[in-house]
Amino acid sequence: MSSPSREPQDSHTTPLGIYDRPQYQAITGIEVTAIAFTVLWLIAALVFFVFVPGDEQSGIDGNSFLLTLMGIFMPIAMIWVAATAARSNRVMREESARLQAAIDGIRQSYVSLQQRGNMSSDGTVARKLDEIAAAAKKTETALATFSTRRDPANPRKNSTVSVPDTGDQGSLALGTPAEELAPPLPSEEFIRALNFPETAEDQAGFVALRRALRDRKTAQIIQASQDVLTLLSQDGIYMDDLRPDRARPEIWRQFAQGARGRAVAPLGGVRDRTSLALTAGRMKQDPIFRDAAHHFLRLFDRMFAEFEKTASDADISALADTRTARAFMLVGRVAGTFD
């Protein structure tokens, strides 16, 4: 009969292949030491019973024989109990060290993978924003070139430049900024821009973001929000994972009108302890994040004060559910805005 195949090592491995259970030796230094002590004890017992003179008795009773066996084999049993305990202790220490190394390796692999994913996603967002900024700059240049408005109903009228009557009205000076010529951004697109595109295929989101970046004030709050979201993502904090408590629109209106402290405390509805702890630690230890967070809070305060004047309750509720508003709730609560 052929002997069964023998595996070179056990199959107990982790999914990452970091922790492989080793093949322990059958005989180690502990067993060798126990064997040596056993042999020495047997030799000592033999010498004692052979060369030491005993009592002049014709026979050996049962109690004496039992005590003799116990005197010989009890120490041997104790030696091997101690050897077994020492080997088990050694194996447990090695297993614990190997398991800790495996956990550290898994943690490092997870962090590196997460960082590579964050760097990739951050690079994609940065490239998209650069493209949008370039397109916005071209649009501003093109709009600033024209000082008159085109009338599609009368094409011939556009071929000549009429001299405006400056008796009662002032003319629009050349070089007017593009944001003065552009129509105001609708609330729906403004809110969509503050939420940022959902995916790379979110064409409506990118269109709204592109239009919002044409306005200087809106571009400032979007850039500040993106900076804070990028820094928070480095700690694994994503706004999509947060489920803050919703505050009523009238509380948001009180905040826009200057109320602070306990009156607007419901705005700090983020309850995720991990996100709060990580953000608070980053706020204390990272001066770059602290400056970006305070800059973002100031711009959001100014933006919302203007937005509230013309926004309906539905618009305020929609804005409160954007990624920018969730970042404001999280950072504002850590900064003590709602205390």
Side-chain angles (χ1 to χ4, degrees):
M1 295 178 62
S2 60
S3 60
S5 61
R6 179 183 178 185
E7 296 181 357
Q9 55 178 317
D10 294 342
S11 59
H12 297 83
T13 59
T14 62
L16 296 178
I18 297 174
Y19 176 59
D20 296 330
R21 188 181 296 277
Q23 291 285 346
Y24 293 106
Q25 298 179 359
I27 298 179
T28 62
I30 297 175
E31 283 75 13
V32 172
T33 303
I35 292 173
F37 276 111
T38 301
V39 172
L40 289 176
W41 177 254
L42 290 175
I43 292 174
L46 180 62
V47 170
F48 177 80
F49 285 107
V50 171
F51 295 99
V52 174
D55 296 336
E56 295 294 336
Q57 295 180 355
S58 59
I60 300 177
D61 65 0
N63 292 332
S64 299
F65 181 74
L66 181 59
L67 291 174
T68 301
L69 291 179
M70 290 181 62
I72 295 175
F73 293 105
M74 183 64 72
I76 295 176
M78 295 299 297
I79 290 172
W80 283 99
V81 168
T84 303
R87 174 161 182 164
S88 298
N89 189 22
R90 175 184 175 185
V91 170
M92 290 179 64
R93 286 199 305 268
E94 293 177 356
E95 290 285 346
S96 178
R98 200 169 286 109
L99 182 60
Q100 185 63 41
I103 294 174
D104 293 339
I106 293 173
R107 184 183 294 111
Q108 293 176 1
S109 299
Y110 174 76
V111 171
S112 62
L113 289 173
Q114 188 178 29
Q115 290 178 350
R116 284 199 296 269
N118 289 338
M119 291 174 61
S120 176
S121 62
D122 294 344
T124 302
V125 173
R127 286 194 299 272
K128 289 287 186 182
L129 291 176
D130 290 340
E131 294 174 1
I132 293 170
K137 186 175 181 180
K138 292 180 181 178
T139 304
E140 291 178 1
T141 304
L143 288 173
T145 304
F146 298 95
S147 60
T148 60
R149 302 175 69 93
R150 296 176 183 263
D151 186 2
N154 191 357
R156 292 187 179 182
K157 186 177 180 180
N158 295 328
S159 61
T160 61
V161 178
S162 60
V163 179
D165 182 8
T166 58
D168 297 328
Q169 297 179 353
S171 61
L172 189 62
L174 294 176
T176 302
E179 57 266 19
E180 296 294 336
L181 298 175
L185 190 68
S187 297
E188 182 180 355
E189 291 189 354
F190 176 73
I191 295 170
R192 184 185 291 271
L194 291 181
N195 194 45
F196 294 95
E198 296 288 345
T199 61
E201 292 76 21
D202 186 5
Q203 297 299 327
F206 281 107
V207 169
L209 186 61
R210 186 180 301 111
R211 293 180 179 175
L213 288 174
R214 295 174 184 172
D215 182 74
R216 182 175 60 86
K217 293 182 180 179
T218 307
Q220 289 178 349
I221 183 62
I222 289 177
Q223 184 62 51
S225 175
Q226 191 228 348
D227 293 340
V228 171
L229 293 177
T230 301
L231 293 172
L232 289 174
S233 67
Q234 294 176 359
D235 288 334
I237 303 174
Y238 300 96
M239 299 303 102
D240 292 341
D241 298 335
L242 300 180
R243 295 294 181 269
D245 297 339
R246 293 180 178 271
R248 299 191 306 274
E250 52 267 26
I251 298 178
W252 282 99
R253 292 189 186 277
Q254 292 178 15
F255 174 79
Q257 295 167 7
R260 295 294 182 271
R262 301 183 66 86
V264 294
L267 298 185
V270 177
R271 307 298 181 188
D272 190 339
R273 295 183 178 179
T274 302
S275 299
L276 290 171
L278 291 174
T279 305
R282 190 76 178 268
M283 185 78 79
K284 293 179 181 178
Q285 300 174 3
D286 189 350
I288 296 176
F289 176 79
R290 184 167 55 251
D291 293 342
H294 287 299
H295 178 64
F296 166 68
L297 292 176
R298 288 193 298 269
L299 290 178
F300 188 94
D301 188 357
R302 188 185 312 163
M303 174 274 297
F304 191 77
E306 296 180 1
F307 175 80
E308 183 268 338
K309 296 177 182 178
T310 58
S312 64
D313 289 351
D315 292 337
I316 293 177
S317 298
L319 187 142
D321 200 31
T322 62
R323 294 186 176 95
T324 298
R326 293 184 183 185
F328 167 73
M329 297 177 194
L330 174 62
V331 177
R333 182 171 180 182
V334 171
T337 305
F338 313 119
D339 294 341

